Amino acid sequence: MRGLLSRSAGRGGWAAPLSLLLLGAVVVLTAVSFAFTFMHLNRVAQLSGASITGWSFSEFVRQTAEVQVMVGRGATPAQLEVPLAILQSKGQVVADEQLVDQLPAAEREALNRAVLAVQGFTPAQLSGPGGNRQMETVMDVALRTYTAALQALDRQRNGIAANLRAAEQTLAGLGALLAGLTGFSVWLLMRNAARALATEVRRTREAERARAELERGAEALRAAQAAAQRDRDFAVQLTETMGEGLIVTDADGQFSYVNPAFAALVDRAPADLLGEPVDRAVPDLRPWPADGTERRAAEVVLRRPDGQERQVLVTAVPRATGGQIAVLTDLTDLKRAQARLRALYDVAATPDAGPGMAEPGALEPGALEPDAAGLDRTLARLLQLGRDAFGGVGAYAVPDGASWRLALLAGAAGPADPDVRAGLLDCAARSAPDGGRCGAGQVCAVPVRVDGETRGVLIFRRDPPDPPFSAADEDYLRLIGQWAETHAEREQAGALLRSSEARLKAIIGASLDAIITSDERGVITEFNPAAEQIFAVPRTRAIGQSMAQLIVPPAMREAHARGMERVRRGGPDHILGQRLELLACRADGQEFPVELTVVRLPTDPPVYAGFLRDITDRLAAEAQLRERTVQLDSVFNVSPDGFVTFGPDDRITESNPAFERLTGLSAAELTGLDEAGLEALLLSRSEAVPLAGLGGDALQVSRPARRVLKRATRVMEGGSGEALGRVMYFRDITPEAEISLMKSEFLSTAAHELRTPMTSIYGFTELLLTRSLDADTTRDLLDTIYRQAGRLIVLLGELLDLARIEARDRQDFEFLDQPLAPLVRGAARAFTPPGETDRLHLSVPDDLNVRVDAAKFQQALGNVLSNAFKYSPSGGEVHVRVVSAPGGTVAVRVTDQGIGMTADQCRRAFERFYRADASGRIPGTGLGLSLVQEIMRCHGGEATLASVPGQGTAVTLSFPSAAPAGGASGSLTAQAGHP
């Protein structure tokens, strides 16, 4: 067969160059198509990288409108603060939008000026007279730029659609070209086979003509045999070397001559045939062409002694002397090639033959893909076709990881033999790349490839004494492999198509969005389950109905009808490919918001597909989210505590005004810093020291003001538990730190003040117990013990009074409206030292009433008077003066002419255990003024102090006034216990 094809190709030398030329053209066109497609898809990717929603522009317009409405309604600056901040934020987002670069220069410049103007707006400015005019200007620019942005987006979408259509058309053209090339290749193969067969027929006819000429030459040879021995020898040599069998019989029907070709044809020695009757030596030559003068031809089947059958064409002519000369042409290979091509054509013409098709001898379960049943049947028929042609064993091997395994076996004997299977697998492994013969030519294999991937190997094995595979056998086997590849590709394409259709149906059925298709008249042709659920209409009822009557609200049906009519007439449709939010209507007439996208399917006539989503819940959630965002932003901005948020990349994304106020750090300094950078900034203006009793991480900030901040960190988590970032919280605990410090100092001072008298008492008591002293010394020691014990009792009493007042917060006070003069005079008598009454001067009107606890008032005033006398060791007058102060208060001012205090001492005078006299010569506990301040606080008043060193001190006690003295007596009982 290969020889036939080669000779045919030699005569028609144009076929090979044409095939190479076509192959080169296809390769070039394929490369150009892929480059063209890649270029357009790259442009699609570039266009898709830009914003295609215009969301930021619409949000800027919406927020501008909201602020404009609020300004028009006369909103206050406080009401405008949050909306204006949102407008400024969205203005910045619009300015940074990539789509801005695609706007016309005028709109782009106007937008930048409007954004800069918005950034400079303040709530007070907008609430003023010109605020509405300024917002109208911004609104006009926002609407113009929004319109320009939508136009730019339309241009982008049109560019994307055009590039996708170009890529689709290019790929479609490439597919058509490849399909045409495949058809042309099959046609060229069949054409070459037909030409080879025609060539062989021509050769046979030429052989017949040669035999006729030989007969004439034989006659001339016999006539001149004696005189032309040399010519006879030449003729004998010619017959000895010719490819066809040549026999000469005598008049008795016996062989008088046979050439070697005939002897090989019947598998007999030439010497054994000479002189033997033809009908006895080779009975298959009967029926012999009838005797006569005419040339006769017939096809017969010769059975060789080894059992082989050979089909031959016998052409006989009579001899003049009797007998015949016959030429036998072996047609076995030609007939076999014709039968093989006819059988292969039958398989190609009927790939899914029904009953009567040959089945393989064995099938390995699960060896092929589950969807390869058609390929199994075709391979089984091809294996049987090969066995019919070659005999022996046929198999189909498939890859199994790094090794191979037999998927199909065909053969009555041998397949179960491990050695046979191993030999087949070994040949499959070695022949997978290009195919070929193995095992001394007894095994032949050809690969089956799909899309460049080797799917399997067809293998056939002959057992001796069958001859090895010839080149013609290998060519035929490659034809079988090519058809297997073609069928496998068709099966794969069919499986992909079925899978795609099933997947599309599953997607439509499982989609959560309603998918509705309609024809150009608006009649519904598809209604998926989600649409049934959303519109409360079963699919059987929806199919065939008008979309306008079924799901379009009554108020919108006229506009819908006009739009459909415009599309039918070939006019533009502005909603195609757009994501729209509008109203739809359920079966019960209820209208609800939906998100709609309409596309035109590439069919003829056109079909429109609508994708709808019920956005009722989404719109409610968005409104709730916006409200929640405004609330959180307000809390974030007005909180007195500082907040710093870190994003997922552990870098600062935002800080609130309270943090900036506490630390003096601006948002520009903080944004983008990690935690280490923030820590460095804080340490540059503070000392990170743990403060006793406060816990956690405390910072003592020195700038912009001295404060103590307590820091804590929390992880922000999303709804599914994923980490969204961290928030760092700073609380100003300066008062707590000061209280803690005061507490420590108080405990230290109290212990010191208690220890001093206790040490004296303990030491003098021990001295009295261990020694015998005279009466004067003993009395002197006892006086000291008595004085120290008294001092200790006073100290403890003042501590208890102070603690009781703080703990019970006025609950032990009995407030009564009463005259002030008796209270002042009583305190003066009780706390003026004996013999020094002439130093005290009182100025108290009798018509002033105060609402006080009498005992606590006299205790406070007494402490002040006691200090006035104690801190005036050189004498001097003490004045007590009562006056009515502005705001309905009464002030009791005690002024002395003592040693006085410095400004720093005045600031600390009301601290516990603080004493201005560091010498210790003036007795005291340092709790008197602290107790006075607590008593005044409980009365709703205050104690103030003014002093000049060396000139004296003035202490003022301010009380709320009560009713005049004349009306006080009748209300004492009713108002007791209330300040």
Side-chain angles (χ1 to χ4, degrees), residues 365-439:
L368 297 176
E369 293 80 356
D371 59 350
L375 183 59
D376 287 347
R377 291 192 298 270
T378 300
L379 288 174
R381 297 183 66 196
L382 293 176
L383 287 176
Q384 187 61 41
L385 185 64
R387 289 194 63 238
D388 293 342
F390 308 133
V393 177
Y396 182 68
V398 296
D400 186 10
S403 58
W404 291 77
R405 65 174 175 176
L406 297 179
L408 293 172
L409 285 172
D417 187 348
D419 293 336
V420 174
R421 298 172 72 96
L424 293 175
L425 291 175
D426 178 68
C427 185
R430 289 191 287 114
S431 303
D434 300 309
R437 286 170 278 182
C438 312

Side-chain angles (χ1 to χ4, degrees), residues 655 659-661 663-671 673 681 685:
S655 60
F659 178 79
E660 298 173 12
R661 184 179 63 257
T663 62
L665 297 172
S666 65
E669 295 178 89
L670 296 171
T671 303
L673 291 179
L681 280 180
R685 58 186 63 216

Side-chain angles (χ1 to χ4, degrees), residues 508 515-519 521-529 531-532 535-547 550-551 607-608:
I508 293 176
I515 301 177
I516 304 174
T517 62
S518 68
D519 58 19
R521 298 172 300 151
V523 177
I524 295 175
T525 59
E526 181 57 54
F527 207 75
N528 76 330
E532 294 181 287
F535 292 99
V537 177
R539 181 177 183 274
T540 54
R541 175 186 163 192
I543 299 298
Q545 286 204 34
S546 170
M547 183 184 301
L550 186 65
I551 66 174
V607 175
Y608 300 90

Side-chain angles (χ1 to χ4, degrees), residues 830-846:
F831 288 93
T832 301
E836 297 188 15
T837 55
D838 57 338
R839 296 174 56 193
L840 180 64
H841 301 277
L842 299 179
S843 176
V844 183
D846 294 330

